[in-house]
């Protein structure tokens, strides 16, 4: 029997090209249901604010690097995103409006009760050379958190470092004042390299063991599509770092790190999730790192930003928003005790 030419062509292609395999599911590793925290840069910082506020009953703290206040861009009086980034001189965001919005959403049950934020620990950072999200916007973030009940003793604001728009790591990245990809930079503070992931995690959790000199865990790739479809702008794959201790019976905390615009794996590779110091701190302190991913697949999201301005819908800052629900489902998966095969990255 003679095979059709189309079948022959397909078989020849398969003989020289390996089949592309889907990534494995995110495994359950018995992570703790308590002590979850979040952080992020730029749009990831806006997302971290949203997630901390919306899920305050289960999130213990947040690290906000160059991010504006909750629900800023979709407020009826603040529809221009430039205002929320502090780019309009003499017209900074009004945190009182966002406090009122959060109070309304909480009263309607769209987000957790704001009283939970009285126990939250929040780190906020703004570089003096940042020309993407200006300090006036980040000042409003600090005032917002105070307005919704975060005590002054639980809130730290670092705003004197001459850095650009970037996550600051001790041994990788651009010069301190840079405002360019991969938006990871090195800065010296007090004659020492500033380790921002360490500063964030230490503020949230208290004194920690020093970061690991050599990682013992696994950096895995997992299928993100089961948590959110492509219409949400979330990518096919995402990443997680699992310290060895967290797969050997210890119930570890979960920290979610949200990348910024133009900072997903599609744009900068592993510069955000693999080359900062997050994983070293996580490794020696029983913390699982979760790195969800968004890309530029949606017309209203050409730079691969997290949704802080409503491109997935007007309820983007609610617990029920698609990106918010997806991240919550990932955290819940990690808390399950059953574990499947894990893809190495």
């Amino acid at each position: 029997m003679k095979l059709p030419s189309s079948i022959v062509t397909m078989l020849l292609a398969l003989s020289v090209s390996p089949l592309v395999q889907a990534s494995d599911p995110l495994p359950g590793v018995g992570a703790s249901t308590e002590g979850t925290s979040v952080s992020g840069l730029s749009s990831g910082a806006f997302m971290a604010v949203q997630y901390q506020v919306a899920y305050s009953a289960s999130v213990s703290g947040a690290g906000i690097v160059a991010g504006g206040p909750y629900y800023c861009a979709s407020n009826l009086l603040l529809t221009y995103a430039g205002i929320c980034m502090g780019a309009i001189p003499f017209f900074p965001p009004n945190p009182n409006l966002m406090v009122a919005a959060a109070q309304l959403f909480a009263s309607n049950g769209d987000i957790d009760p704001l009283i939970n934020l009285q126990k939250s620990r929040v780190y906020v950072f703004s570089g003096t050379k940042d020309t993407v999200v200006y300090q006036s916007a980040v000042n409003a973030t600090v005032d917002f958190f105070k307005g919704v009940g975060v005590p002054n003793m639980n809130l730290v604001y670092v705003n004197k470092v001459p850095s650009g728009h970037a996550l600051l790591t001790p041994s990788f990245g651009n010069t301190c004042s840079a405002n360019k990809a991969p938006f990871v930079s090195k800065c010296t503070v007090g004659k020492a390299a500033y380790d921002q992931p360490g500063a964030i995690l230490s503020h949230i959790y208290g004194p920690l063991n020093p970061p690991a000199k050599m990682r013992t865990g696994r950096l895995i790739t997992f299928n993100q599509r089961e948590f959110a479809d492509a219409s949400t702008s979330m990518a096919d794959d995402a990443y997680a770092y699992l310290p060895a201790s967290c797969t050997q019976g210890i119930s570890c905390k979960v920290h979610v790190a949200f990348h910024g615009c133009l900072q997903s794996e599609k744009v900068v590779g592993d510069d955000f999730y693999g080359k900062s110091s997050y994983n070293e701190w996580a490794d020696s302190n029983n913390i699982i790192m979760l790195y969800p991913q968004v890309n530029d697949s949606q017309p209203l999201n050409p730079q691969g930003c997290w949704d802080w301005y409503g491109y997935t819908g007007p309820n983007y800052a609610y617990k029920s928003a698609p990106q918010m629900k997806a991240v919550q489902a990932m955290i819940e998966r990690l808390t399950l005790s059953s574990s499947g095969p894990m893809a190495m990255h």
Side-chain angles (χ1 to χ4, degrees), residues 179-333:
N179 286 278
K180 62 181 182 180
F183 303 104
V184 178
S185 295
K186 296 179 291 185
C187 292
T188 299
V189 176
K191 298 183 179 181
Y194 189 65
D195 190 334
Q196 196 159 59
I200 290 170
L201 295 173
S202 295
H203 178 69
I204 293 172
Y205 294 123
L208 298 177
N209 296 322
K213 294 182 179 180
M214 182 175 295
R215 299 177 188 173
T216 65
R218 291 179 283 186
L219 186 59
I220 66 168
T221 304
F222 67 89
N223 182 359
Q224 195 173 238
R225 191 56 64 226
E226 67 170 300
F227 302 104
D229 61 41
S231 68
T232 65
S233 205
M234 296 186 74
D236 291 343
D237 291 332
Y239 307 93
Y241 182 74
L242 306 177
S245 60
C246 302
T247 60
Q248 297 172 355
I250 292 179
S251 183
C252 296
K253 297 178 175 63
V254 177
H255 183 80
V256 184
F258 296 104
H259 64 76
C261 302
L262 299 173
Q263 204 184 34
S264 69
E265 190 277 338
K266 180 179 179 180
V267 182
V268 301
D270 68 347
D271 286 356
F272 181 77
Y273 68 83
K275 295 178 181 175
S276 75
S277 58
Y278 274 120
N279 297 334
E280 282 72 20
W281 284 99
D283 194 280
S284 58
N285 289 284
N286 302 326
I287 300 170
I288 295 167
M289 290 299 308
L290 179 64
Y291 300 99
Q293 298 283 301
V294 292
N295 58 30
D296 57 358
S297 60
Q298 297 302 312
L300 295 178
N301 184 30
Q303 295 185 334
C305 304
W306 287 95
D307 187 11
W308 64 275
Y309 53 91
Y311 67 76
T312 61
N315 299 335
Y316 71 95
Y318 291 4
K319 292 176 68 174
S320 60
Q323 290 183 356
M324 304 277 274
K325 287 196 303 182
V327 173
Q328 174 66 7
M330 294 178 204
I331 296 170
E332 290 178 350
R333 171 68 59 78

Side-chain angles (χ1 to χ4, degrees), residues 36-258:
T36 298
S37 60
V38 294
S39 64
L41 167 72
S42 193
S43 76
F46 278 90
M47 185 66 174
V49 171
Q50 289 171 198
Y51 199 89
Q52 166 73 87
V53 174
Y55 286 94
S56 61
S58 58
V59 179
S60 62
I64 313 303
V65 182
Y70 177 83
Y71 199 66
C72 180
S74 283
N75 189 285
L76 293 177
L77 299 178
L78 292 173
T79 56
Y80 183 42
I83 295 174
C84 300
M85 297 168 68
I88 311 301
F90 311 111
F91 194 18
N94 184 340
N96 294 328
L97 296 175
M98 292 70 164
V99 169
Q103 290 171 337
L104 175 63
F105 299 159
S107 68
N108 291 338
D110 298 317
I111 63 176
D112 286 343
L114 299 181
I115 193 171
N116 296 312
L117 292 168
Q118 294 180 11
K119 298 180 293 183
S120 297
R121 297 186 62 83
V122 180
Y123 166 104
V124 185
F125 180 91
S126 178
T128 62
K129 302 295 185 181
D130 193 326
T131 58
V132 179
V133 177
Y134 293 85
Q135 284 202 346
S136 60
V138 186
N139 293 343
T141 302
V142 173
D143 291 338
F144 167 81
F145 275 119
K146 291 179 178 179
V148 292
V150 176
N152 287 337
M153 63 183 295
N154 289 3
L155 180 63
V156 61
Y157 185 23
V158 180
N159 61 354
K160 304 297 183 184
V161 180
S163 70
H165 191 69
L167 178 74
L168 306 184
T169 66
S171 58
F172 171 77
N174 296 321
T175 57
C176 188
S177 61
N179 286 278
K180 62 181 182 180
F183 303 104
V184 178
S185 295
K186 296 179 291 185
C187 292
T188 299
V189 176
K191 298 183 179 181
Y194 189 65
D195 190 334
Q196 196 159 59
I200 290 170
L201 295 173
S202 295
H203 178 69
I204 293 172
Y205 294 123
L208 298 177
N209 296 322
K213 294 182 179 180
M214 182 175 295
R215 299 177 188 173
T216 65
R218 291 179 283 186
L219 186 59
I220 66 168
T221 304
F222 67 89
N223 182 359
Q224 195 173 238
R225 191 56 64 226
E226 67 170 300
F227 302 104
D229 61 41
S231 68
T232 65
S233 205
M234 296 186 74
D236 291 343
D237 291 332
Y239 307 93
Y241 182 74
L242 306 177
S245 60
C246 302
T247 60
Q248 297 172 355
I250 292 179
S251 183
C252 296
K253 297 178 175 63
V254 177
H255 183 80
V256 184
F258 296 104

Side-chain angles (χ1 to χ4, degrees), residues 1-38:
M1 183 181 72
K2 185 177 181 180
L3 292 173
S5 60
S6 60
I7 299 297
V8 173
T9 300
M10 181 184 72
L11 291 174
L12 287 172
L14 291 177
S15 69
V16 296
S17 301
L19 288 173
V20 177
Q21 296 182 341
S23 298
D24 288 326
L26 179 65
V29 293
S32 175
T33 58
E34 299 181 355
T36 298
S37 60
V38 294

